[in-house]
Amino acid sequence: ILDRPGEYYFDEAKRKIYLWPRKQPLKLEIGTRSFGITLGRVKHVVIDGLIIQKHTGNTGAYAIRSAYNFGEKLEGITMKNNEIRYNRLKSGGQQATVQLSNSSNVVFTKNIVHSNQRATGVSLGGPNVIVSENIFRKKQLHSHRNGVR
């Protein structure tokens, strides 16, 4: 499908992007926005090995969040081996950097969460939530609560 450097292809059926970079090592960046990954109406999703950073907003600066307007429960969400950093809420508040409400069977493991301003860390709500082997450092600045709740 790809026959020269600098090309990419989106396989819609597999929901994957294939990229032949122009040079190695590859540094791939996506522009800043208020939300990183929004999950709604999904089950059995794995978020593995990403750097999720630099989301900024007035009412929320979520690296990963559940979409409240769908009203459906998230189930079987695994977040592992990610680095979640430099996300910033512009004004005071208590939104979490990672916030999954109304979810069950969530695994949050081996992630590094650091340097997120005006955020409360990680908020996972629902039954069967496992949080293990994560690193939280560089206290979330200007927040009332930090870490996991």
Side-chain angles (χ1 to χ4, degrees), residues 41-45 72-78 102-106:
R41 296 183 183 172
V42 296
K43 294 181 180 180
H44 311 293
V45 173
E72 292 186 19
K73 182 184 262 190
L74 301 176
E75 186 177 331
I77 308 300
T78 299
N102 197 25
S103 54
S104 64
N105 302 315
V106 174

Side-chain angles (χ1 to χ4, degrees), residues 4-140:
R4 67 176 186 240
E7 292 184 336
Y8 71 92
Y9 171 74
F10 177 64
D11 185 328
E12 202 165 347
K14 293 182 181 178
R15 308 220 21 100
K16 288 189 175 193
I17 297 174
Y18 297 89
L19 171 68
W20 186 343
R22 294 178 198 268
K23 60 183 178 178
Q24 295 287 343
L26 172 66
K27 181 178 181 181
L28 182 64
E29 294 186 27
I30 298 172
T32 300
R33 56 187 225 155
S34 296
F35 306 109
I37 299 170
T38 300
L39 302 171
R41 296 183 183 172
V42 296
K43 294 181 180 180
H44 311 293
V45 173
V46 177
I47 301 169
D48 184 1
L50 299 178
I51 296 174
I52 305 167
Q53 66 179 5
K54 298 182 181 178
H55 298 93
T56 188
N58 289 322
T59 58
Y62 304 98
I64 303 170
R65 72 174 188 145
S66 53
Y68 301 107
N69 56 332
F70 291 119
E72 292 186 19
K73 182 184 262 190
L74 301 176
E75 186 177 331
I77 308 300
T78 299
M79 293 168 279
K80 63 181 181 176
N81 304 312
N82 300 293
E83 184 174 1
I84 302 164
R85 64 187 188 190
Y86 310 132
N87 299 288
R88 181 178 178 268
L89 182 62
K90 287 184 180 178
S91 59
Q94 295 188 14
Q95 289 86 355
T97 302
V98 175
Q99 185 164 351
L100 296 183
S101 301
N102 197 25
S103 54
S104 64
N105 302 315
V106 174
V107 177
F108 190 81
T109 187
K110 298 181 182 176
N111 299 288
I112 301 171
V113 181
H114 69 93
S115 306
N116 297 293
Q117 295 183 342
R118 298 184 182 98
T120 60
V122 176
S123 177
L124 307 172
N128 302 319
V129 174
I130 298 171
V131 178
S132 67
E133 301 180 66
N134 298 287
I135 297 172
F136 295 89
R137 61 180 182 193
K138 292 188 181 178
K139 186 176 179 178
Q140 319 305 326

